[in-house]
Amino acid sequence: MSTPAAPTLPPTSGLYVPGSRPDRFDKALATGADLLILDLEDAVAPESKDAAREAVVAWVGRFFGTGDGGRPVLQVRVNAVGTPWHDADLAALASLPAAAGAVEVRLPKVEGTDGLDDVVAAAGPRPVTAILETARGVEAAVAVAAHPAVTRLALGESDLRSDLGTGTGPDAEAPITYARVRLLFAARAAGLDAPMLSAYPAIRDLDGLLADTVRGRALGASGRVAIHPSQLPVIARAFAPSRDEVAWARAVVVALETSGGAVTRLPDGAMVDPAMRGRATRILTRTPPR
């Protein structure tokens, strides 16, 4: 019995880069992050919005002009619907050459499906990552995920904390955990990949980043976005399969191959059935070759 092809995995690491810092674009690309997000929204001051948009469009055009646009996934976070810069951001994406058709739209402050069709009409048929950053947005996650233009969900945790009035620390994590789980169910119910975790704002707190990322991974997150390159190795460490996970995954695949896909047992007596193959395959796909 042949082993099924490995699933296509979502990005594990993402990196935000301010659109007003074109000197950092190539450096960000060189970090090896799976997802590169050129930001026209929060990271850019109002007086710099126009110049940032021009810089992003010029660099994106060159990036896809090299003929190697497969890695990383490239997104542009535009300004939210209703802001003075939103329409110009979408028009700029629509003006990109055909070779840049793979660039994705990262849309902030989504609170429902209203306006998503307008985004597609203005920017072209590009994949949309919908960022849910308010209680209204989180509660609309199922409908947003089901919209045909939306290919990923994301959670804006800092904005959500502000909207809810919650603090930080262990005693304030229940609302964020709820939101993470709600987006996970909405995404998977719509056939989308599990969401990535939101950026961790305390850049120097790498221990806190690791602990929170490990918690998020246990809740089903597929990866995490960063706001500084120093956070990327920590994210990679958190999502790297442990030796015990790899050993379990290899044992599951061997057991199912040997049994012809029937329910069987591992050497330690644990039951194995075909439902476990998907998780085992994903673990092995993320495991570097020996």
Side-chain angles (χ1 to χ4, degrees):
M1 179 180 177
S2 61
T3 302
T8 300
L9 295 175
T12 298
S13 60
L15 180 62
Y16 274 101
V17 188
S20 54
R21 294 299 305 270
D23 57 306
R24 296 182 181 177
F25 294 173
D26 287 336
K27 295 176 183 177
L29 183 63
T31 65
D34 302 321
L35 167 66
L36 188 59
I37 306 165
L38 304 178
D39 191 12
L40 297 176
E41 195 211 13
D42 287 346
V44 180
E47 64 272 16
S48 301
K49 297 283 190 182
D50 293 341
R53 186 186 310 114
E54 293 175 5
V56 165
V57 168
W59 188 85
V60 169
R62 291 196 301 273
F63 175 78
F64 283 98
T66 65
D68 184 22
R71 276 292 187 180
V73 176
L74 188 61
Q75 295 184 346
V76 175
R77 181 164 74 168
V78 299
N79 287 279
V81 175
T83 62
W85 313 282
H86 175 74
D87 290 345
D89 290 348
L90 297 183
L93 292 180
S95 72
L96 288 169
V103 68
E104 301 183 1
V105 178
R106 196 170 182 92
L107 184 65
K109 310 295 189 296
V110 176
E111 293 191 326
T113 57
D114 291 347
L116 288 176
D117 290 333
D118 294 337
V119 168
V120 174
R126 301 180 182 279
V128 174
T129 293
I131 313 177
L132 311 181
E133 306 183 64
T134 62
R136 184 186 295 273
V138 170
E139 291 305 295
V142 172
V144 172
H147 191 280
V150 173
T151 57
R152 309 178 199 268
L153 293 183
L155 184 64
E157 293 184 7
S158 294
D159 284 272
L160 181 60
R161 290 183 193 276
S162 295
D163 185 54
L164 297 176
T166 59
T168 58
D171 294 335
E173 288 308 299
I176 297 301
T177 298
Y178 166 80
R180 288 175 175 179
V181 173
R182 184 158 178 84
L183 262 66
L184 172 66
F185 273 79
R188 297 303 297 134
L192 307 182
D193 289 326
M196 300 177 76
L197 295 168
S198 181
Y200 191 80
I203 294 174
R204 296 183 179 179
D205 183 14
L206 298 182
D207 290 339
L209 169 65
L210 178 62
D212 187 68
T213 306
V214 168
R215 283 194 297 271
R217 182 194 176 202
L219 290 173
S222 62
R224 182 159 215 158
V225 296
I227 52 175
H228 192 275
S230 65
Q231 296 177 315
L232 294 175
V234 179
I235 293 169
R237 176 183 168 191
F239 281 94
S242 68
R243 284 183 289 183
D244 288 344
E245 287 176 314
V246 173
W248 173 86
R250 287 178 175 144
V252 166
V253 170
V254 169
L256 290 174
E257 290 288 335
T258 303
S259 70
V263 175
T264 185
R265 291 182 181 274
L266 296 180
D268 64 4
M271 188 197 76
V272 175
D273 67 24
M276 299 177 181
R277 184 189 289 274
R279 177 171 175 253
T281 304
R282 283 177 173 81
I283 289 172
L284 295 179
T285 302
R286 291 196 186 278
T287 304
R290 290 187 289 185

